[in-house]
């Protein structure tokens, strides 16, 4: 049974079929997997690692641009731009837009922070630091603009690293009635990022 996932594009998940303007579109297995996974998580950040895990599985361990190759082919076949409906957010992942762009997106916090730590892994390990993530139980998602969160994390880490001694870098979280607080704890030096909760 076909359902509309974007303007003029319909998807039948049982038959793994795609139609554009009522006409069948031939997709490779990986192109279909990308479309299926991203459209099943609309207006949410899907990190590159999440895409690899769900679409490629054990067949592919590291992303060397293979996602982009298949995503560009998918965009060509469906007549989509590089921004709509699937937007690539450099250094973060992908968003499948189903309506007008909005300022905030729901992100999987564990996956986002794991990818962020991985992107700064060389600098962190060069200082003899071991990175850990310890999040508040049951807080798996927050609503925030992902680029802003990455910029905040990058700026704090950039400020802390020059004087860092070997030890532990922890990303911890705390939840209050009004805020979600994310802390970067570098050997006891704590910097907090405070995110207001939205309804």
């Amino acid at each position: 049974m076909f359902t509309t996932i974007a303007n003029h594009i319909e998807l039948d998940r049982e038959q793994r079929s795609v139609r554009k303007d009522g006409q069948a579109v031939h997709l490779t297995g990986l192109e279909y997997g990308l479309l299926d996974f991203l459209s099943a998580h609309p207006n949410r950040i899907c990190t590159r690692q999440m895409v690899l895990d769900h679409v490629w599985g054990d067949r592919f361990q590291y992303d060397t641009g293979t996602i982009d190759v298949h995503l560009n082919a998918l965009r060509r076949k469906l007549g989509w731009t590089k921004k709509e409906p699937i937007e690539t957010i450099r250094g973060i992942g992908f968003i499948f837009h189903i309506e007008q762009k909005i300022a905030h997106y729901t992100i999987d916090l564990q996956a986002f922070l794991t990818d962020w730590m991985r992107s700064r892994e060389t600098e962190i390990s060069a200082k003899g630091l071991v990175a850990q993530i310890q999040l508040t139980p049951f807080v798996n998602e927050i609503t925030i603009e992902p680029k802003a969160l990455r910029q905040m994390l990058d700026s704090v880490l950039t400020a802390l690293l020059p004087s860092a001694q070997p030890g532990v870098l922890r990303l911890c979280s705390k939840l209050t009635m009004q805020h979600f607080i994310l802390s970067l704890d570098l050997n006891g030096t704590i910097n907090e990022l405070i995110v207001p909760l939205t309804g």
Side-chain angles (χ1 to χ4, degrees):
M1 180 175 169
F2 282 96
T3 55
T4 302
I5 59 166
N7 285 345
H8 312 291
I9 305 297
E10 298 171 294
L11 190 65
D12 183 336
R13 287 188 161 91
E14 288 183 9
Q15 300 296 319
R16 294 179 61 87
S17 301
V18 179
R19 292 193 307 211
K20 178 182 178 183
D21 295 320
Q23 300 296 313
V25 178
H26 174 71
L27 300 180
T28 67
L30 291 173
E31 290 165 0
Y32 176 84
L34 272 170
L35 180 62
D36 183 35
F37 179 69
L38 293 173
S39 65
H41 301 85
N43 286 346
R44 296 167 63 122
I45 296 291
C46 293
T47 66
R48 300 183 81 87
Q49 193 59 52
M50 288 167 66
V51 172
L52 285 173
D53 290 345
H54 287 86
V55 179
W56 272 259
D58 294 335
R59 291 175 292 171
F60 205 84
Q61 296 283 319
Y62 303 100
D63 178 20
T64 56
T66 190
I67 296 175
D68 303 284
V69 170
H70 291 281
L71 184 54
N72 287 336
L74 175 65
R75 285 174 172 142
R76 276 195 309 274
K77 289 180 180 181
L78 298 179
W80 287 348
T81 69
K82 290 189 175 180
K83 295 277 187 183
E84 296 290 344
I86 299 173
E87 180 181 4
T88 300
I89 300 182
R90 188 177 175 191
I92 298 174
F94 311 93
I95 298 174
F96 188 92
H97 298 286
I98 58 168
E99 39 191 53
Q100 289 186 348
K101 274 192 177 181
I102 54 178
H104 298 85
Y105 293 90
T106 301
I107 63 173
D108 178 319
L109 196 60
Q110 181 78 38
F112 181 92
L113 294 176
T114 300
D115 278 4
W116 177 76
M117 286 276 208
R118 189 178 290 124
S119 75
R120 304 298 300 261
E121 185 175 11
T122 302
E123 301 155 86
I124 291 170
S125 61
K127 284 290 186 174
L129 293 166
V130 176
Q132 298 177 351
I133 300 174
Q134 299 171 341
L135 301 180
T136 303
F138 313 115
V139 180
N140 301 316
E141 298 178 339
I142 62 170
T143 301
I144 190 173
E145 207 287 308
K147 289 181 186 175
L149 180 57
R150 185 180 176 91
Q151 287 170 353
M152 287 189 288
L153 289 167
D154 282 343
S155 65
V156 172
L157 187 63
T158 299
L160 290 176
L161 279 180
S163 59
Q165 299 298 315
V168 178
L169 170 67
R170 286 189 184 88
L171 267 173
C172 308
S173 68
K174 182 168 57 176
L175 189 64
T176 70
M177 294 296 289
Q178 290 85 27
H179 299 99
F180 178 78
I181 302 168
L182 194 59
S183 303
L184 268 79
D185 179 344
L186 183 53
N187 293 331
T189 301
I190 299 174
N191 285 258
E192 292 185 337
L193 305 176
I194 300 175
V195 181
L197 295 178
T198 57

